[in-house]
Amino acid sequence: MTTVVELDIPADRLAAAQSFKRVPKLEYQIGGMIGDAPPLVWLSGPDRETVRAALETDPSVDVIASVTDETTTDRSSTGAAADRERWLFRLAFGDRFKLFERIVAENGGAILEASGNDGSWSVTLLFHDRDSLSACYSLFEQYDFGVNVTRLTGIDDLASAGTPLTETQYETIQAAHELGYFEVPRRITLKELAAELDVSHQALSERLRRCHAALVNAELTGGLRPTAIDP
């Protein structure tokens, strides 16, 4: 059964510990991580200059590009609106984060979402069976990531998963992971994957980009409930 699991991981075991110390109100938000390219990351904090300075002095983060900025409006529990600025960066994370990504990919998983604040990361992963999750969890313990499982759910269909992907997009992502397209190095090329799925190279490339865009812009954890786990 496909399983979605949410983990809490201390920043000093994963990434960005120094930037959190420098800017306590700093927040990272990554909508999805597909392929080898450094991810697009939304960051919020007191101001753009302070945030960028924190990134540039953090040895576990490398700023590839500053993409854009925007002002969003949040509402408090009383309904009052408050502006909050955030900025989009393309970031490359350090060796610990890359190791985490590799462990997930090599066990057939996918990183759906990752957010960081207050010295901790919350990461949502998807696995196509519980055995893969258990193997991945064992490696997290072996490499001392200090993970704490906060939520776990098995999903039988797309609606209960809360995914923004269409059925075709979901099946494409699933096949790509199972056949090793997202592994480093890849076990299958885009051309070979297209042949396996009986679609054109161009159509598959566009489909994967649409999948990436949907995952980056969606929250995939709605409706999950806290539960205990002993992988």
Side-chain angles (χ1 to χ4, degrees), residues 58-90:
D58 192 323
S60 68
V61 179
D62 186 18
V63 179
I64 305 299
S66 177
V67 182
T68 188
D69 62 80
E70 70 171 27
T71 300
T72 61
T73 300
D74 291 336
R75 293 191 176 274
S76 67
S77 58
T78 62
D83 288 339
R84 178 175 65 91
E85 289 186 297
R86 64 177 188 168
W87 306 276
L88 186 62
F89 288 84
R90 187 174 292 281

Side-chain angles (χ1 to χ4, degrees), residues 65-169:
S66 177
V67 182
T68 188
D69 62 80
E70 70 171 27
T71 300
T72 61
T73 300
D74 291 336
R75 293 191 176 274
S76 67
S77 58
T78 62
D83 288 339
R84 178 175 65 91
E85 289 186 297
R86 64 177 188 168
W87 306 276
L88 186 62
F89 288 84
R90 187 174 292 281
L91 303 179
F93 291 96
D95 291 341
R96 289 288 292 178
F97 202 100
K98 291 176 182 177
L99 173 61
F100 182 88
E101 289 183 279
R102 188 164 67 250
I103 289 172
V104 173
E106 289 178 353
N107 285 279
I111 300 176
L112 300 182
E113 185 178 36
S115 60
N117 63 81
D118 196 27
S120 179
W121 285 88
S122 176
V123 183
T124 304
L125 307 176
L126 180 146
F127 292 90
H128 298 300
D129 58 73
R130 193 64 63 87
D131 289 342
S132 297
L133 168 58
S134 296
C136 194
Y137 185 87
S138 295
L139 287 169
F140 290 157
E141 290 192 316
Q142 178 181 332
Y143 287 99
D144 195 26
F145 279 100
V147 300
N148 177 41
V149 177
T150 58
R151 295 180 182 180
L152 176 72
T153 187
I155 53 177
D156 295 313
D157 55 42
L158 297 178
S160 63
T163 173
L165 302 178
T166 67
E167 184 174 356
T168 297
Q169 290 172 339

Side-chain angles (χ1 to χ4, degrees), residues 16-36:
Q18 292 300 318
S19 55
F20 286 131
K21 288 180 180 178
R22 184 178 178 119
V23 184
K25 294 184 178 180
L26 181 64
E27 295 183 8
Y28 289 76
Q29 185 69 43
I30 309 172
M33 304 183 73
I34 297 179
D36 304 331

Side-chain angles (χ1 to χ4, degrees), residues 167-181:
E167 184 174 356
T168 297
Q169 290 172 339
Y170 184 86
E171 290 174 350
T172 299
I173 288 290
Q174 182 178 17
H177 273 280
E178 290 177 348
L179 294 173
Y181 178 70

